Amino acid sequence: PVESRRDLRRTLDGLSLRHLPMLGRDMFRAMLHPLRVAWAAPRERPYARSGSKKPSSRQVVIEASTVAAIEAHCGTRIKVNDLLIAIVAMVTAKRSRSRPIAVLYTMDLRRYSRTPHLSATNASAILTTVVPRAATDRLADAVKAVRAITQRQQRSFAGPAFLLVPMLMTGATPHGV
């Protein structure tokens, strides 16, 4: 069954009072994070113009054998999400000459729920990895740097903080906490 309201309460119901200090820390970091992103490398080369009049998208399937070959090249087990973030960081680094690289990705917040459930709520947070420029020359280095960042974010409360800070700053919202 899907809950009738678009409500974040059930998504975050696995958090308890003992999580408050860490959540507070990560909410403070979430308020400072835009400064890190603002310091990231600006895009200096424009994207290529498209002749299409419609938005375009492309679905890419990465075969298990391709992932295995990339893991062999990197010398470590990787998550496909980390691989994609690393590739985007490497491409972005080619569009600028200096400073770290910011890449956005989504984190599913249902991991903070007490029990698995279907939800009508958009229970995702948009997080940013700020990848050191030195790690964007080789795929193996980029994957290792991204993995360290995403693992740190997954062990923290960066996802809930991403949603709760703006909600606390703007007051009542239709999502009902």
Side-chain angles (χ1 to χ4, degrees), residues 153-165:
Q153 288 176 335
Q154 288 171 0
R155 286 190 304 265
S156 73
F157 293 99
F162 171 83
L163 289 179
L164 294 175
V165 166

Side-chain angles (χ1 to χ4, degrees), residues 12 23 26 30 105 107-109 111-112 124-127 153-154 156-165:
L12 302 177
L23 182 60
D26 290 334
Y105 75 101
M107 173 190 275
D108 185 352
L109 296 180
R111 72 182 70 218
Y112 299 102
S124 296
I126 300 170
L127 299 180
Q153 288 176 335
Q154 288 171 0
S156 73
F157 293 99
F162 171 83
L163 289 179
L164 294 175
V165 166

Side-chain angles (χ1 to χ4, degrees), residues 61-137:
V61 176
I62 302 175
E63 300 293 332
S65 59
T66 304
V67 174
I70 294 170
E71 285 177 340
H73 171 76
C74 293
T76 184
R77 181 120 172 87
I78 60 172
K79 292 182 179 178
V80 172
N81 209 31
D82 290 348
L83 173 63
L84 295 175
I85 294 169
I87 291 169
V88 170
M90 292 176 71
V91 170
T92 303
K94 289 181 171 56
R95 296 190 169 279
S96 65
R97 291 186 290 262
S98 63
R99 299 196 289 210
I101 308 302
V103 180
L104 282 72
Y105 75 101
T106 59
M107 173 190 275
D108 185 352
L109 296 180
R110 288 177 290 189
R111 72 182 70 218
Y112 299 102
S113 181
R114 191 173 303 141
T115 57
H117 65 282
L118 295 174
S119 174
T121 305
N122 179 2
S124 296
I126 300 170
L127 299 180
T128 307
T129 58
V130 180
V131 182
R133 177 167 289 279
T136 60
D137 292 332

Side-chain angles (χ1 to χ4, degrees), residues 11-59:
T11 303
L12 302 177
D13 68 0
L15 300 179
S16 68
L17 290 176
R18 68 183 172 90
H19 295 119
L20 280 178
M22 294 172 285
L23 182 60
R25 175 202 64 201
D26 290 334
M27 289 173 75
F28 178 74
R29 287 178 180 169
M31 289 188 287
L32 295 179
H33 195 68
L35 299 174
R36 289 187 64 216
V37 173
W39 180 247
R43 184 176 68 228
E44 296 167 354
R45 265 187 22 216
Y47 291 117
R49 289 196 165 259
S50 171
S52 174
K53 299 208 186 292
K54 297 180 183 178
S56 62
S57 64
R58 183 173 178 188
Q59 183 171 341

